[in-house]
Amino acid sequence: MPVGTLGTVKALDPDDLTGAGVSMVLANTYHLHLRPGDDVVRDLGGLHRFMAWKGPILTDSGGFQVFSLEGLRSVDEDGVEFRSHIDGSRRRFTPESVMRIQRNLGADVIMQFDHVIPGQSTFADAQDASDRSIRWLERCLTEVRAQSSELRGSLSDSAESRVTSHESRQALFPIVQGGIHPKLRTDAARTITGMNDWHGVAIGGLSVGESKPDMYAMLDLLHPELPADRPRYLMGVGFPEDLIEGVRRGVDLFDCVAPTRMGRNGTAFSSTGRLNIKRAEFRTDGRPVDESCDCTACRRFSRAYLRHLYVSDEILGLRLLSLHNVHFLVSLMRGARAAIQAGTFDSWASEWLDRLASGPDSQT
Amino acid sequence: MPVGTLGTVKALDPDDLTGAGVSMVLANTYHLHLRPGDDVVRDLGGLHRFMAWKGPILTDSGGFQVFSLEGLRSVDEDGVEFRSHIDGSRRRFTPESVMRIQRNLGADVIMQFDHVIPGQSTFADAQDASDRSIRWLERCLTEVRAQSSELRGSLSDSAESRVTSHESRQALFPIVQGGIHPKLRTDAARTITGMNDWHGVAIGGLSVGESKPDMYAMLDLLHPELPADRPRYLMGVGFPEDLIEGVRRGVDLFDCVAPTRMGRNGTAFSSTGRLNIKRAEFRTDGRPVDESCDCTACRRFSRAYLRHLYVSDEILGLRLLSLHNVHFLVSLMRGARAAIQAGTFDSWASEWLDRLASGPDSQT
């Protein structure tokens, strides 16, 4: 999932996403709550209509953003008090309020409100946050069930069928926390999967400062604990090599700002590693960014042109590299699926990982 | 023609332009000479290929830019010496060098190098500049003819036919100058049209600070002086009302940065005047920017969404309003052509001018 923080995947048009093969996007509850306001989005027909995206949308819970506001928030059992990064106004998120906000936004998949901690947290801190996240999950589930029955009870038949086909079909995903502590991860997974028949399960609190081996160890550990027939979503992860290692460990769904953020910074993914388009050597390079790529940027434009756009601060450059990077990751995931179906995933993965590490630009 | 200063119409993709009905774009010789360099563009196959634009391209002569570099340039009979606005390096443009640069870029229509002066210049200053521009036009024509015969002489048959179908088909347009002085304009038009059978003729030095009545008077005056069967290009003009008044006075071709620059600033053209999308009243406005518009922005997005994008500094907003504005002007010109063919131009023009002045936002 490309990340559409404010209801737009930065620099891209919904048609660009469709053209790149994207099927689902993520949007941020915290950001949309502050701007333009989830009530505004609701009154305009919901997020799909607001941002003209016909495919599924997942909204996060705002937990990650709120806990990133260093010095701007305080946690208690009820929820989190914080100050808006825009105007400093005092706000409060609780499991219940976050469910209401996500209902207003109208995403297809909504995330539980969780207590996010740094990647290197101690066992005690991680246990405290994981236990609180599980108590908050119970409150989220209660709130979502109450919303659904309230809607059904208060509406006429025709309105009810409309609601049933939209809001009450929101799938609430729980988030397994526990830092890099095996016992906490296992305990959380078992408690959560025992609580409800979830549509899907997310793995949170990884890719937040811990080492790669620690991340892989947690994924390996969780593999047998999570339902095999439901999608698994590894939150905030999305570099090419991470996708491959995640899929290898059973993950189905990822999100990351990397393809668009790096695109805006002039870095392109390629099958032979990363490429910094601003480098002088590309000034007269007539080749596409990635000769094996069939995105609309690589089909039409040279490295020299893209470098020219970046050096000249032209907006089209931001869009073309963002588009290329998103297309690259979607193609990679499509390749992974085909390899799994063909029973050749391990060799496919090894080849990709070797190639990604081989390029002259891999250290960029 | 939308303006693609640096080989990209700001914030737009070539496919956006095609979708909006654009048939021809302008690019700037001065800017492309400095960055990435016209030699680089030539070595990469020319500007069409560089910017992936299949339609015709017109390049200006750089005169306007060079003469805008207040304090950075000096004029003599041979040409203009100036300093690059990028690195301060000393450069020189002459009629001959500007023809060579435009040959490197490979546009379909190339402009003569001219001496541009402020709109309110005295008769003496305007006469001096107009006479010099005509002498420079003779040198441009000589240079273009020499280039063509040199190319034909030095190449093999197959290479020659390739060149003939590209560089030597560049159409050199002369520019009628003369400020707001009727005698100078008439003299220039007669001298220029007597000099060669031009593919088209440009009218320069208008929309540079003079009053609208003065501009219209010059266009009225030139109407009978210019060949009726060749396109007339009014340089640097392009607000909706200006297009209508220009077409009324026989102009076929315009260029202006207004649609894209205003789009990036959050101002949208509409059939009832201009609209500043950032205004608070649009926060919850579910209507498209212009309810009578069928551009891809108006078909999909609300004013509320576009306002949200602008308030949040999202790149997609810059693209969507630029696209809308370009689409708006192309549609307006298409309407003008249909009205001319139907013999109803005067009433069509009156209706449009009334409507453009009617909107609540017309003073924006």
Side-chain angles (χ1 to χ4, degrees):
Chain A
M1 294 180 290
V3 175
T5 305
L6 277 154
T8 166
V9 176
K10 288 192 192 299
L12 296 179
D13 187 289
D15 288 348
D16 293 332
L17 299 172
T18 305
V22 169
S23 52
M24 186 167 183
V25 300
L26 179 146
N28 286 120
T29 288
Y30 167 82
H31 289 288
L32 289 167
H33 170 65
L34 296 181
R35 222 166 36 180
D38 49 282
D39 52 338
V40 170
V41 174
R42 177 200 60 208
D43 293 348
L44 289 163
L47 192 53
H48 291 81
R49 183 162 163 194
F50 189 56
M51 66 186 286
W53 176 249
K54 296 195 170 78
I57 299 174
L58 180 150
T59 42
D60 68 2
S61 68
F64 185 81
Q65 275 77 27
V66 166
F67 286 97
S68 305
L69 296 168
E70 201 59 57
L72 288 174
R73 43 84 182 165
S74 67
V75 193
D76 55 48
E77 184 57 25
D78 180 53
V80 184
E81 191 156 300
F82 61 96
R83 287 181 181 281
S84 157
H85 76 283
I86 297 173
D87 61 7
S89 61
R90 195 176 290 274
R91 311 271 180 145
R92 188 170 186 81
F93 273 175
T94 66
E96 292 78 13
S97 75
V98 163
M99 292 302 103
R100 287 193 293 270
I101 293 169
Q102 291 189 83
R103 189 175 85 180
N104 283 342
L105 296 175
D108 305 276
V109 176
I110 62 178
M111 300 304 299
Q112 78 154 99
F113 190 55
D114 58 340
H115 185 166
V116 179
I117 53 171
Q120 310 279 19
S121 296
T122 63
F123 185 91
D125 286 350
Q127 183 169 37
D128 176 64
S130 178
D131 289 352
R132 180 166 302 104
S133 293
I134 290 170
R135 292 193 295 275
W136 285 357
L137 173 61
E138 286 169 343
R139 288 166 56 189
C140 289
L141 186 57
T142 302
E143 176 66 22
V144 167
R145 285 173 172 161
Q147 285 175 5
S148 299
S149 61
E150 180 192 325
L151 271 173
R152 275 193 294 272
S154 69
L155 294 168
S156 67
D157 283 352
S158 69
E160 184 188 338
S161 63
R162 191 162 47 76
V163 168
T164 305
S165 69
H166 188 57
E167 283 95 333
S168 70
R169 281 204 317 169
Q170 288 187 304
L172 173 65
F173 276 26
I175 302 172
V176 176
Q177 293 286 358
I180 54 170
H181 306 287
K183 177 171 164 27
L184 296 178
R185 288 278 175 185
T186 309
D187 286 354
R190 290 178 186 172
T191 306
I192 287 169
T193 55
M195 191 189 292
N196 186 44
D197 181 23
W198 307 103
H199 290 284
V201 178
I203 302 164
L206 292 177
S207 200
V208 289
E210 82 287 353
S211 73
K212 294 260 172 171
D214 280 343
M215 176 167 95
Y216 300 153
M218 294 304 108
L219 295 178
D220 287 331
L221 180 84
L222 289 171
H223 194 12
E225 300 292 343
L226 301 176
D229 60 345
R230 300 299 155 92
R232 296 169 190 186
Y233 162 34
L234 179 54
M235 304 180 74
V237 171
F239 284 89
E241 46 279 20
D242 297 332
L243 299 189
I244 294 170
E245 295 294 358
V247 169
R248 190 200 295 283
R249 293 167 175 85
V251 177
D252 304 286
L253 196 58
F254 303 84
D255 79 280
C256 192
V257 296
T260 45
R261 179 172 293 166
M262 292 174 67
R264 295 199 306 287
N265 290 335
T267 300
F269 292 138
S270 97
S271 49
T272 53
R274 297 183 206 160
L275 181 147
N276 179 345
I277 201 68
K278 289 170 286 191
R279 283 161 68 160
E281 66 188 283
F282 299 135
R283 183 161 173 269
T284 56
D285 192 335
R287 292 175 296 169
V289 164
D290 185 344
E291 297 192 81
S292 65
C293 178
D294 65 344
C295 80
T296 58
C298 288
R299 283 205 311 261
R300 296 182 294 161
F301 301 106
S302 61
R303 295 175 182 185
Y305 184 69
L306 287 166
R307 177 180 186 275
H308 168 64
L309 294 178
Y310 272 85
V311 169
S312 310
D313 290 324
E314 286 287 350
I315 291 168
L316 179 60
L318 310 179
R319 172 155 166 270
L320 291 175
L321 272 204
S322 298
L323 181 61
H324 165 79
N325 284 345
V326 167
H327 182 277
F328 181 86
L329 293 187
V330 171
S331 299
L332 184 68
M333 290 295 276
R334 200 182 281 127
R337 180 187 286 148
I340 291 168
Q341 288 169 339
T344 57
F345 181 82
D346 281 340
S347 60
W348 175 90
S350 300
E351 280 165 27
W352 259 103
L353 292 171
D354 287 350
R355 206 159 43 223
L356 285 169
S358 73
D361 298 320
S362 58
Q363 303 309 315
T364 306
Chain B
M1 295 180 290
V3 175
T5 306
L6 277 154
T8 167
V9 177
K10 288 190 191 302
L12 296 178
D13 187 289
D15 288 348
D16 293 333
L17 299 172
T18 305
V22 170
S23 51
M24 186 168 182
V25 300
L26 179 145
N28 287 121
T29 288
Y30 168 81
H31 289 287
L32 289 167
H33 170 65
L34 295 181
R35 223 168 36 182
D38 50 282
D39 52 339
V40 170
V41 174
R42 177 201 59 206
D43 292 348
L44 289 163
L47 192 53
H48 291 81
R49 184 162 162 193
F50 189 58
M51 66 186 287
W53 176 249
K54 295 194 172 78
I57 300 173
L58 180 149
T59 42
D60 67 2
S61 67
F64 186 80
Q65 275 77 28
V66 167
F67 286 97
S68 305
L69 296 168
E70 200 59 59
L72 288 175
R73 43 83 181 166
S74 67
V75 193
D76 55 48
E77 182 58 26
D78 180 54
V80 185
E81 191 155 299
F82 61 97
R83 286 181 181 281
S84 158
H85 76 285
I86 297 173
D87 61 7
S89 61
R90 195 176 292 275
R91 310 270 181 148
R92 186 170 189 81
F93 273 176
T94 65
E96 292 78 13
S97 76
V98 163
M99 292 303 102
R100 286 192 292 269
I101 294 169
Q102 291 189 83
R103 188 175 85 180
N104 283 342
L105 296 174
D108 305 276
V109 177
I110 61 178
M111 301 304 300
Q112 77 153 101
F113 190 56
D114 59 339
H115 185 166
V116 179
I117 53 170
Q120 310 280 17
S121 296
T122 63
F123 185 90
D125 286 348
Q127 183 169 36
D128 175 63
S130 178
D131 289 352
R132 179 166 301 105
S133 294
I134 290 169
R135 292 192 296 274
W136 285 357
L137 173 60
E138 286 169 346
R139 288 166 56 188
C140 289
L141 187 57
T142 302
E143 176 67 22
V144 166
R145 286 175 172 161
Q147 284 173 6
S148 299
S149 60
E150 179 191 327
L151 271 172
R152 273 193 293 273
S154 68
L155 294 166
S156 67
D157 282 355
S158 70
E160 182 186 342
S161 64
R162 189 161 50 75
V163 167
T164 304
S165 69
H166 189 55
E167 283 95 331
S168 71
R169 282 207 315 174
Q170 290 188 303
L172 172 65
F173 276 27
I175 304 173
V176 175
Q177 293 286 358
I180 54 171
H181 306 286
K183 174 169 168 22
L184 296 179
R185 288 278 174 186
T186 309
D187 286 352
R190 290 178 185 172
T191 306
I192 287 168
T193 55
M195 191 187 297
N196 187 41
D197 182 22
W198 307 102
H199 289 286
V201 177
I203 302 164
L206 292 176
S207 200
V208 287
E210 81 288 354
S211 72
K212 294 260 174 175
D214 280 341
M215 176 167 94
Y216 300 152
M218 294 304 108
L219 294 177
D220 287 333
L221 180 84
L222 289 172
H223 195 12
E225 300 292 341
L226 301 177
D229 60 345
R230 301 297 155 95
R232 298 171 189 186
Y233 163 34
L234 179 56
M235 304 180 75
V237 171
F239 284 90
E241 46 280 20
D242 297 331
L243 298 190
I244 294 169
E245 295 294 358
V247 169
R248 190 200 295 284
R249 292 167 176 84
V251 178
D252 304 285
L253 195 58
F254 303 84
D255 80 281
C256 191
V257 296
T260 46
R261 179 172 292 167
M262 293 175 67
R264 294 198 308 286
N265 290 336
T267 300
F269 292 139
S270 98
S271 50
T272 54
R274 296 183 209 162
L275 180 149
N276 179 347
I277 201 67
K278 288 170 286 189
R279 283 161 67 160
E281 67 188 281
F282 299 134
R283 184 163 169 270
T284 57
D285 191 334
R287 292 175 295 169
V289 164
D290 185 345
E291 296 190 84
S292 65
C293 178
D294 65 346
C295 80
T296 59
C298 288
R299 283 204 311 262
R300 295 182 296 163
F301 301 106
S302 61
R303 295 176 182 185
Y305 184 68
L306 287 166
R307 177 179 186 276
H308 168 64
L309 294 179
Y310 273 85
V311 169
S312 308
D313 291 323
E314 286 286 352
I315 291 168
L316 179 60
L318 311 180
R319 173 155 164 271
L320 291 175
L321 273 204
S322 299
L323 182 60
H324 165 79
N325 284 344
V326 167
H327 182 278
F328 182 86
L329 292 188
V330 171
S331 299
L332 184 68
M333 288 295 277
R334 198 183 282 127
R337 179 187 288 148
I340 291 168
Q341 288 168 338
T344 57
F345 181 82
D346 282 340
S347 59
W348 176 89
S350 300
E351 280 165 27
W352 258 102
L353 292 171
D354 286 350
R355 205 157 48 221
L356 285 169
S358 74
D361 298 319
S362 58
Q363 303 309 314
T364 304

